[in-house]
């Protein structure tokens, strides 16, 4: 991003009063201190979202920022320049609008609820030979994201594609004012509409405000009535116009047709488009993060090497505390010479520990010797960098489980919207974050700004500390022989008996430690761990005499929050309120109180949030109210086919010969078995997988490392991907086949199964 603004011009844009302002340059805008990684002249906008940007001004200053746009009174050192405005988000959007208006080339805006990012990326692919395009990075389509996308426009570009989305009424008016699109694409909103809109019709109308002044807007003919009702000047796309293409074997045919039609309108020859339609990039290859060999963390973003995508990948890598050394690997084989230096300038501005350039797919020996580092791989989708990345994979076992970080973030925000603004969020990461991995998810949560992490046992907490987690960590089940590690690693123990409390204080006295943070578990109806109400007087008197500790929080557990009958949970909440009052009367200092888990937050967030909530399985999208709350699934479990055999009637399959073929069949052997977590109880048709969109039942007994399935009714070959859990088989369905719950499924996936984290 190169703004070419002076500080004086910035002030004039956001407040109108630029008298006596300095003329020093402003090159880049920041709104998140985690993204401040370069030495370029920057300004920090203190945005007031779920996290108040004003709370991070000192951190931005410490990272070298000296210009700040704020909306409340702040105190910073004298060399900081403060710009006071009424609304920092609107100020940011005014800067984006000013920047966009410096350029006269076409701006195409895309909105709707269906396939915006896919159409944007495919249009870029189809138009890249004709235009020098600036487009929204990834799915940057929010009020902030659109502004930041516009700020990437330069006079080296001659076409812009901007993705836009809304979550509340009237937001689109601000986006339209910023973007001023000359062309538009409307994808529709499907059969559902967001909670914040009173109807599907209203939701559609809000989206269509983006096209108030466009010269022309493209949409499928099925949206004709919506466009007419909202007086949008539209060119309707008829699927029949592209009937020469067989879309039956292609994913997302409607999105392909829209991209083809718009590219053709913009001058790309139809014959050229017909050659490209079968080669549109597979967009499921989002940035993925996984554990590599030699304790390296691998960030694979080899889908493209555009400047905007590169900036996003570098920002992610350098904003994470995972691995101190940051290594960047570039393959510039398919990059024009004039762009290579610009790419290298961006990378060098982040000052990586090492930079490697791959040529002719040859891997430098020094790169193979890298250890204990974060390694980012970036290259064109046409390069063979994906093959190079495989050399660094920790596990070659072709069974893996993917975790969608964007969906995890969405789910957390969904819960937080049900809470008072000041309520803190603790996320449970026990049992390797419910089977998702020891440290990757906690690092992501730390980046998101979660207030607390919770684990079951001390060794889980020490693992997090040893891997760079600095957040407060609550230990739910404190063992007496773990006191040494609790003190050494600054963990926060939960105590549930007076004897345990006294033992911990005795150990603290040895080092003359005072005010060590502890948490108290109280019993309201779970009947597991904790102090009963009649034990509180003794506990409180004891706490008043123990300077070694200070109560950080008091909490309890809901035993029945997933039940449709809320009476037991409401009774527990009332008990907890009474205990809270008693504790507050005796202990005269601030204490956090919390009782709600994921299910409880969904149901009782408005009435019983107290000071903090504890989210667990809900973060991954699995609660009894997940559908109603619009939580997103986060897990996809996959494997591949090893071999396919044809067997005849009368032949048997697998150990103990429990399956006999009644006719000729095709049998595929999969690289997964009960040692991976695909249980033996799924044998003989109880379980099924999906291959190329077709359900394939298990035949015979599941083996330790392999499983056989019937593929007689689907076209497939060795190496094809197999869905265990995903779009066709959700985790709830899979759990029911095992007569268990998603918790057990997630925590039962063996550690030998690779974990991949998608951004």
């Amino acid at each position: 991003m190169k703004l070419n603004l002076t500080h004086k011009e910035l002030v004039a844009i956001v407040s109108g009063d630029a008298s006596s302002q300095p003329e020093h340059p402003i090159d880049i805008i920041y709104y998140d201190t985690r993204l401040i990684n370069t030495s370029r002249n920057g300004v920090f906008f203190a945005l007031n979202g779920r996290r108040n940007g004003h709370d991070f001004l000192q951190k931005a200053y410490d990272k070298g920022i000296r210009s700040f746009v704020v909306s409340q009174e702040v105190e910073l050192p004298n060399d900081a320049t403060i710009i006071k405005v009424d609304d920092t988000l609107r100020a940011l959007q005014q800067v984006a609008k000013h920047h966009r208006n410096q350029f006269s080339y076409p701006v195409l805006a895309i909105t709707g609820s269906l396939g915006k990012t896919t159409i944007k990326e495919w249009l870029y692919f189809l138009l890249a030979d004709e235009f020098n395009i600036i487009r929204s990075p990834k799915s940057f389509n929010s009020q902030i994201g659109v502004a930041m996308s516009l700020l990437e426009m330069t006079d080296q570009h001659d076409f812009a594609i901007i993705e836009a989305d809304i979550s509340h009424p009237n937001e689109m008016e601000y986006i339209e004012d910023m973007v001023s699109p000359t062309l538009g694409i409307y994808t529709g909103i499907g059969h559902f509409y967001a909670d914040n809109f009173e109807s599907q019709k209203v939701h559609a109308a809000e989206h269509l405000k983006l096209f108030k002044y466009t010269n022309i807007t493209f949409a499928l003919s099925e949206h004709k009535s919506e466009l007419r009702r909202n007086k949008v000047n539209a060119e309707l796309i008829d699927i029949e116009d592209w009937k020469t293409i067989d879309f039956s074997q292609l994913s997302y045919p409607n999105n392909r047709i829209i991209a083809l039609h718009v590219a053709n309108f913009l001058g790309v020859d139809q014959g050229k488009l017909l050659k490209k339609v079968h080669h549109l990039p597979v967009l499921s290859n989002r940035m993925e993060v996984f554990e590599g060999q030699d304790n390296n963390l691998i960030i694979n973003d080899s889908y493209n090497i555009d400047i905007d995508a590169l900036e996003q990948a570098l920002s992610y890598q350098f904003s994470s505390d995972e691995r101190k050394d940051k290594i960047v690997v570039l393959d510039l084989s398919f990059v024009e010479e004039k762009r290579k230096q610009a790419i290298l300038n961006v990378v060098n501005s982040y000052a990586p520990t090492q930079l490697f350039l791959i040529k002719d797919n040859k891997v430098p020996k020094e790169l193979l010797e890298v250890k204990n580092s974060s390694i980012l791989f970036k290259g064109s989708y046409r390069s063979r960098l994906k093959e190079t990345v495989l050399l660094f994979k920790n596990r070659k076992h072709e069974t893996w489980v993917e975790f969608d970080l964007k969906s995890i973030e969405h789910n957390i925000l969904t819960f937080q919207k049900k809470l008072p603004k000041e309520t803190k969020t603790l996320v449970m990461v026990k049992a390797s974050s419910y089977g998702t991995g020891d440290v990757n998810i906690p690092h992501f949560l730390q980046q998101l700004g979660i207030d607390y992490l919770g684990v079951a046992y001390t060794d889980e907490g020490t693992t997090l500390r040893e891997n760079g987690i600095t957040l407060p960590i609550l230990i739910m089940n404190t063992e007496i022989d773990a006191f040494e590690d609790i003190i050494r690693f600054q963990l926060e123990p939960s105590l549930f008996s007076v004897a345990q409390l006294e033992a911990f204080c005795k150990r603290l006295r040895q080092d003359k430690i005072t005010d060590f943070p502890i948490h108290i578990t109280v019993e309201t109806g779970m009947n597991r761990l904790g102090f009963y109400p009649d034990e509180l007087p003794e506990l409180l008197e004891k706490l008043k005499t123990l300077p070694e500790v200070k109560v950080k929080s008091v909490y309890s557990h809901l035993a029945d929050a997933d039940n449709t009958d809320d009476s037991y949970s409401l009774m527990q909440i009332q008990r907890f309120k009474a205990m809270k009052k008693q504790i507050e009367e005796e202990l005269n200092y601030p204490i956090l109180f919390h009782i709600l888990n994921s299910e409880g937050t969904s149901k009782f967030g408005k009435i019983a949030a107290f000071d903090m909530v504890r989210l667990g399985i809900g973060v991954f999208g699995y609660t009894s109210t997940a559908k109603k709350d619009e939580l997103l699934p986060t897990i996809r479990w996959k494997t591949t086919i090893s071999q396919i055999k044809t067997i005849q009637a009368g032949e048997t399959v697998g150990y103990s010969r429990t399956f006999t073929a009644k006719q000729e069949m095709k049998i595929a052997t999969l690289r997964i078995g009960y040692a991976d977590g695909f249980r033996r109880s799924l044998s003989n048709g109880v379980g099924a997988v999906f291959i190329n969109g077709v359900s394939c039942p298990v035949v015979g007994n599941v083996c330790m490392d392999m499983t056989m399935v019937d593929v007689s009714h689907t076209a497939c070959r060795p190496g094809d991907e197999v869905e265990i859990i995903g779009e066709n088989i959700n985790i709830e369905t899979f759990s029911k086949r095992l007569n268990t719950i998603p918790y057990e499924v997630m925590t039962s996936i063996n550690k030998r199964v690779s974990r991949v984290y998608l951004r």
Side-chain angles (χ1 to χ4, degrees):
M1 181 193 306
K2 186 70 174 175
L3 292 182
N4 292 322
L5 275 179
T6 67
H7 185 91
K8 188 170 186 176
E9 289 170 330
L10 175 65
V11 173
I13 294 167
V14 301
S15 69
D17 180 13
S19 58
S20 69
Q21 293 294 331
E23 293 283 359
H24 63 254
I26 296 292
D27 290 348
I28 189 167
I29 287 176
Y30 293 109
Y31 61 92
D32 187 330
T33 55
R34 294 167 295 182
L35 303 180
I36 302 174
N37 291 299
T38 77
S39 58
R40 289 174 286 182
N41 297 314
V43 59
F44 181 78
F45 278 70
L47 302 180
N48 294 312
R50 179 72 192 177
R51 297 170 63 186
N52 189 340
H54 295 83
D55 295 336
F56 298 88
L57 293 175
Q58 185 62 49
K59 189 169 185 179
Y61 179 89
D62 293 341
K63 286 193 168 190
I65 300 297
R66 292 297 179 267
S67 296
F68 301 85
V69 178
V70 303
S71 60
Q72 61 189 53
E73 294 299 326
V74 299
E75 291 186 10
L76 284 169
N78 291 335
D79 62 338
T81 304
I82 309 297
I83 306 170
K84 182 85 179 297
V85 297
D86 293 333
D87 187 322
T88 49
L89 175 59
R90 300 296 169 240
L92 173 63
Q93 292 174 333
Q94 284 300 111
V95 176
K97 175 182 177 180
H98 170 83
H99 185 77
R100 181 262 180 270
N101 288 339
Q102 308 306 305
F103 309 101
S104 58
Y105 49 79
V107 176
L108 184 153
I110 306 177
T111 195
S113 301
L114 307 169
K116 295 184 296 295
T117 303
T118 300
I119 292 171
K120 178 194 69 185
E121 294 299 321
W122 282 349
L123 257 182
Y124 172 80
F125 176 83
L126 296 170
L127 297 172
D129 294 337
E130 318 295 329
F131 299 95
N132 188 6
I133 301 170
I134 171 64
R135 70 196 191 281
S136 303
K138 307 290 182 180
S139 55
F140 257 41
N141 54 34
S142 65
Q143 293 272 301
I144 299 171
V146 171
M148 299 307 290
S149 299
L150 291 171
L151 290 169
E152 298 289 343
M153 295 174 69
T154 72
D155 50 16
Q156 274 76 53
H157 300 107
D158 53 22
F159 196 85
I161 306 176
I162 302 297
E163 182 181 337
D165 200 7
I166 51 174
S167 53
H168 292 86
N170 303 317
E171 285 184 343
M172 192 60 86
E173 294 171 6
Y174 294 104
I175 292 177
E176 191 282 328
D177 186 48
M178 271 193 291
V179 179
S180 298
T182 47
L183 299 168
I185 294 176
Y186 176 60
T187 70
I189 62 167
H191 301 295
F192 302 97
Y193 57 90
D195 284 344
N196 298 315
F197 300 91
E198 62 185 52
S199 68
Q200 185 183 28
K201 187 182 291 186
V202 170
H203 193 188
E206 289 290 331
H207 274 287
L208 290 168
K209 287 179 180 179
L210 181 59
F211 309 124
K212 188 176 180 181
Y213 299 113
T214 52
N215 296 331
I216 192 164
T217 296
F218 300 93
L220 294 175
S221 55
E222 63 192 66
H223 303 305
K224 180 178 179 179
S225 59
E226 297 169 61
L227 294 157
R228 283 188 173 176
R229 185 165 57 244
N230 291 281
K231 300 178 181 178
V232 174
N233 180 28
E235 176 170 312
L236 298 174
I237 301 171
D238 192 337
I239 293 176
E240 289 298 309
D241 293 342
W242 296 89
K243 62 184 179 182
T244 55
I245 301 174
D246 180 11
F247 286 100
S248 63
Q249 301 301 313
L250 297 174
S251 60
Y252 308 109
N254 286 355
N255 291 344
R256 289 177 189 265
I257 289 169
I258 292 172
L260 291 169
H261 186 96
V262 174
N264 187 224
F265 174 87
L266 292 169
V268 183
D269 179 71
Q270 192 170 83
K272 190 174 181 180
L273 293 173
L274 294 177
K275 291 178 182 178
K276 284 189 169 186
V277 69
H278 291 277
H279 303 287
L280 293 176
V282 179
L283 299 181
S284 59
N285 289 336
R286 291 167 288 174
M287 187 168 74
E288 58 181 26
V289 183
F290 53 82
E291 295 293 329
Q293 294 181 11
D294 296 319
N295 196 37
N296 290 314
L297 184 76
I298 306 303
I299 305 172
N300 178 22
D301 198 18
S302 52
Y303 162 55
N304 66 48
I305 196 165
D306 297 331
I307 297 290
D308 54 359
L310 178 62
E311 284 268 19
Q312 290 299 307
L314 287 165
S315 292
Y316 173 78
Q317 181 184 28
F318 280 78
S319 63
S320 173
D321 294 324
E322 284 188 87
R323 313 302 196 277
K324 181 180 178 181
D325 290 339
K326 311 293 184 183
I327 312 297
V328 177
V329 181
L330 302 178
D331 186 334
L332 303 179
S333 303
F334 296 90
V335 177
E336 298 173 1
E337 287 299 322
K338 63 182 181 181
R339 291 183 58 243
K340 286 183 180 179
Q341 191 55 52
I343 288 170
L344 292 173
N345 288 343
V346 170
V347 174
N348 289 330
S349 71
Y350 283 80
T353 309
Q354 286 180 281
L355 169 62
F356 292 95
L357 299 179
I358 300 290
K359 294 181 180 179
D360 302 322
N361 210 44
K362 293 179 181 177
V363 182
K365 179 183 176 183
E366 295 79 7
L367 178 57
L368 293 171
E369 295 173 352
V370 168
K371 297 180 180 180
N372 307 313
S373 300
S374 165
I375 309 177
L376 168 64
F377 290 88
K378 285 291 292 180
S380 164
Y381 70 92
R382 291 185 288 174
S383 76
R384 295 173 62 192
L385 194 60
K386 291 183 180 67
E387 299 171 20
T388 301
V389 173
L390 294 177
L391 297 175
F392 292 82
K393 260 199 166 179
N394 193 25
R395 299 181 176 92
K396 302 298 191 292
H397 182 34
E398 289 188 40
T399 298
W400 70 99
V401 58
E402 299 173 350
F403 302 100
D404 190 325
L405 300 182
K406 184 177 179 183
S407 294
I408 289 173
E409 181 176 10
H410 165 88
N411 294 338
I412 290 172
L413 290 172
T414 298
F415 283 115
Q416 289 176 334
K417 286 176 182 176
K418 295 175 175 287
L419 303 169
K421 189 174 181 181
E422 65 277 4
T423 307
K424 295 181 182 297
T425 303
L426 180 152
V427 176
M428 295 302 303
V429 291
K430 60 185 178 178
S432 294
S433 302
Y434 294 86
T436 64
D438 289 335
V439 297
N440 300 82
I441 294 297
H443 268 289
F444 178 65
L445 296 171
Q446 184 165 276
Q447 284 180 269
L448 288 182
I450 293 300
D451 301 291
Y452 250 94
L453 295 179
V455 296
Y457 295 103
T458 303
D459 56 355
E460 295 175 320
T462 60
T463 297
L464 296 180
R465 284 284 186 257
E466 288 170 339
N467 285 276
I469 296 297
T470 58
L471 286 174
I473 299 174
L474 166 61
I475 310 296
M476 288 268 180
N477 197 342
T478 305
E479 316 101 305
I480 289 179
D481 60 3
F483 288 166
E484 294 292 335
D485 282 343
I486 286 173
I487 295 168
R488 177 186 169 197
F489 290 97
Q490 288 296 292
L491 305 173
E492 301 182 10
S494 170
L495 304 177
F496 42 82
S497 73
V498 169
Q500 188 191 36
L501 172 62
E502 290 177 335
F504 186 56
C505 289
K506 180 180 179 181
R507 173 60 191 85
L508 292 172
R509 283 186 212 109
Q510 293 176 18
D511 291 342
K512 299 180 180 179
I513 296 172
T514 60
D515 289 338
F516 196 95
I518 64 168
H519 301 256
I520 299 296
T521 316
V522 295
E523 184 57 75
T524 59
M526 181 74 150
N527 291 317
R528 190 170 64 179
L529 292 175
F531 291 91
Y532 284 100
D534 60 1
E535 295 175 309
L536 280 187
E538 179 190 359
L539 169 66
L540 294 171
E541 286 304 312
K542 179 68 68 176
L543 285 169
K544 289 183 205 176
T545 67
L546 296 172
E548 294 82 13
V549 295
K550 190 169 187 178
V551 178
K552 192 76 171 287
S553 88
V554 175
Y555 69 97
S556 191
H557 293 271
L558 294 180
D560 199 34
D562 56 347
N563 200 327
T564 53
D565 181 355
D566 294 335
S567 57
Y568 194 83
S569 294
L570 292 172
M571 177 275 293
Q572 281 192 266
I573 290 169
Q574 289 305 120
R575 280 186 182 175
F576 188 65
K577 284 181 178 178
M579 297 174 84
K580 174 179 182 288
K581 182 179 179 183
Q582 187 177 353
I583 293 166
E584 287 178 325
E585 287 173 352
E586 295 294 328
L587 300 181
N588 190 26
Y589 53 81
I591 296 173
L592 300 173
F593 289 85
H594 47 109
I595 192 172
L596 298 186
N597 55 5
S598 298
E599 298 274 5
T601 300
S602 175
K603 293 181 177 181
F604 313 117
K606 297 297 183 186
I607 63 169
F610 296 103
D611 304 295
M612 186 159 70
V613 297
R614 302 186 307 274
L615 303 180
I617 196 77
V619 166
F620 302 101
Y622 311 116
T623 66
S624 64
T625 56
K627 189 172 182 181
K628 182 182 118 179
D629 291 335
E630 296 184 343
L631 298 181
L632 299 177
T634 59
I635 295 171
R636 289 182 287 275
W637 190 7
K638 300 177 182 179
T639 189
T640 56
I641 298 174
S642 294
Q643 189 178 42
I644 298 173
K645 294 180 180 292
T646 299
I647 65 172
Q648 304 302 317
E651 292 192 74
T652 61
V653 177
Y655 286 121
S656 303
R657 302 178 65 217
T658 56
F659 176 84
T660 303
K662 295 180 180 178
Q663 58 197 23
E664 182 180 283
M665 298 175 65
K666 282 196 306 177
I667 303 296
T669 300
L670 312 183
R671 294 180 170 96
I672 191 170
Y674 56 76
D676 299 297
F678 192 82
R679 289 213 214 133
R680 200 167 185 270
S681 58
L682 294 169
S683 300
N684 291 303
V686 176
V689 300
F690 266 77
I691 302 174
N692 297 327
V694 176
S695 179
C696 303
V698 174
V699 293
N701 281 324
V702 175
C703 308
M704 181 181 288
D705 310 297
M706 288 173 273
T707 298
M708 288 70 74
V709 297
D710 179 5
V711 293
S712 303
H713 304 292
T714 183
C716 58
R717 57 187 179 183
D720 278 3
E721 192 173 280
V722 178
E723 176 190 306
I724 310 300
I725 294 173
E727 294 180 9
N728 297 290
I729 308 174
N730 61 38
I731 196 169
E732 291 88 348
T733 300
F734 188 82
S735 301
K736 286 175 182 175
R737 289 175 179 174
L738 289 169
N739 195 29
T740 186
I741 56 177
Y743 287 88
E744 187 174 354
V745 170
M746 288 180 63
T747 56
S748 297
I749 300 175
N750 194 290
K751 284 195 173 185
R752 80 176 184 182
V753 176
S754 299
R755 267 70 172 169
V756 178
Y757 306 89
L758 300 177
R759 283 248 341 163

